[in-house]
Amino acid sequence: MKRRDLKIDKLPTIRRLPAYLNLLRELSIKGEQTVSSSHLAERMGIEPILVRKDLELTRITGTPRIGYSIQDLIGGIEGFLGLGDTLDAFLIGVGQLGSSLLSNQNLMNLGLRIVAAFDKEPQKSRSEANGIPVFGLERLGELARRINVCLAILCVQPEEAQDVTDILVAAGVKGIWNFTSANLVVPDDVITQNEDLSSGFAVLSVKMTKRKMAAH
Amino acid sequence: MKRRDLKIDKLPTIRRLPAYLNLLRELSIKGEQTVSSSHLAERMGIEPILVRKDLELTRITGTPRIGYSIQDLIGGIEGFLGLGDTLDAFLIGVGQLGSSLLSNQNLMNLGLRIVAAFDKEPQKSRSEANGIPVFGLERLGELARRINVCLAILCVQPEEAQDVTDILVAAGVKGIWNFTSANLVVPDDVITQNEDLSSGFAVLSVKMTKRKMAAH
DNA sequence: TGAAATTTGTTATAATCATAACAAATATTA
DNA sequence: TAATATTTGTTATGATTATAACAAATTTCA
């Protein structure tokens, strides 16, 4: 039988939702009450029809000639993304990338709360700045069982990634946000999300060479 | 008239190519000569048919019953991605995220070479570790004109993003890899690639809540 | 040497995503 | 109050991406 792998459609829409949320909060702070799909589209660099389709997913409905209620949209997107209740996470690997995530305001705005970090050399990492404690990697299993987070953020070296993953899975972690280039093997009930900077660079590189060609 | 915006198709394939490359280089180091689509698929967590379709894009052809020559594939992917000749870039904003990019080995492997970095407070950033000089932001325009890089990596605060972009564009930069949450306005002949961690988190969050629902 | 097994590559189909066209709804204005 | 303008939401279409089915090719082994 095929691996039951939880198809989620409208993935491109889901990817755009945080950007909408960001924009809407900005507008809200400015005191705006409503916004039209064409305005959002303009700010996002996409077509108004795509905005309307995206917002449809949140079940928030606008009013003709006026647009959408910004507050409703914010609530709708937050609800859809499952924010509201914050998501507690461990971060493993406090290198430069790890540190940058520890202090990423955007992620906090989306309800991510990193409650503890782990590193092979905890004394080397300077994390007090964010008020998040950094433990030695050897304490990961124990603390994961005790604190019972369901999400882990993986920023270790690719060679260490699978070992750390196994510890996390054994401790009951259900989601792994994987910033390493390793392809993790996990049981069916654990979700992994791979974040890969290389792929973005590849797209940019291809676009630039294609553009150069077009210009002769 | 509609903005001429350089459609590139097979974008999902292009996004996967760096991962193939990574894997193939690994296999090559291990002394392997050939590889089958099913083996690559297994390692990447996708279907063999998708691998064959992806590799088709590189114009490298395999041999039945044997598979693909690993060396050929590596060359083919590198060629397709326009690597081989390294791409020189400026990095602007040497915060934690910026620093982590400065030392990202994966990106170097893809031919990215950051030749200079810029920051509002250059003395604060510790970059000698990577041997890349960090200049004050006020020198950006001058050096961009002199050194003539075509790519810039943007890691500044979102509020500063557009100003820095304008300087870069005026200096002739043709591609901007945007790690800020700002939506940049650029002329038609400049390409931007937005990198957005929030979107990955949104996908993960939705998948996890959906999974939790499914489990009651 | 010939049959079998396995893997590629092609052609066909299905699924997903983006865009278009237009009707319905509602505020604005004469 | 009625006409107008504008914006949403729906239904239809097109484009892109993923998957399936199978024929062609090539090694292996009897």
Side-chain angles (χ1 to χ4, degrees), chain B residues 50-71:
Chain B
L50 187 50
V51 172
R52 294 203 294 280
K53 283 295 190 185
D54 282 346
L55 298 183
E56 195 183 326
L57 196 62
T58 68
R59 321 265 284 157
I60 298 300
T61 161
T63 61
R65 176 91 205 222
I66 295 295
Y68 299 86
S69 151
I70 290 177
Q71 282 315 312

Side-chain angles (χ1 to χ4, degrees), chain A residues 36-37 49 52-53 56 61-68:
Chain A
S36 68
S37 61
I49 175 63
R52 294 203 294 279
K53 284 294 190 186
E56 195 183 326
T61 161
T63 61
R65 178 91 206 225
I66 296 294
Y68 299 85

Side-chain angles (χ1 to χ4, degrees), chain A residues 198-199 202-203 206, chain B residues 8-18 54 57 80-81:
Chain A
S198 310
S199 68
V203 173
V206 169
Chain B
I8 293 213
D9 60 1
K10 315 228 159 94
L11 222 102
T13 296
I14 294 172
R15 289 189 161 281
R16 283 186 291 267
L17 288 180
D54 282 346
L57 196 62
F80 186 89
L81 291 182

Side-chain angles (χ1 to χ4, degrees), chain B residues 124-198:
Chain B
K124 263 198 180 173
S125 59
R126 47 208 183 92
S127 68
E128 314 77 46
N130 314 293
I132 297 165
V134 180
F135 299 101
L137 196 55
E138 71 281 356
R139 300 195 57 194
L140 176 59
E142 167 213 344
L143 284 168
R145 268 184 302 271
R146 252 178 39 203
I147 299 185
N148 194 29
V149 296
C150 59
L151 177 63
I153 306 172
L154 218 59
C155 300
V156 299
Q157 296 299 110
E159 307 83 42
E160 310 166 324
Q162 187 62 56
D163 286 349
V164 171
T165 298
D166 293 342
I167 296 172
L168 291 165
V169 168
V173 163
K174 292 303 176 200
I176 295 179
W177 199 8
N178 178 23
F179 284 83
T180 80
S181 57
N183 282 95
L184 303 178
V185 179
V186 296
D188 279 2
D189 65 330
V190 175
I191 291 163
T192 62
Q193 170 74 22
N194 297 323
E195 217 60 54
D196 180 11
L197 294 184
S198 310

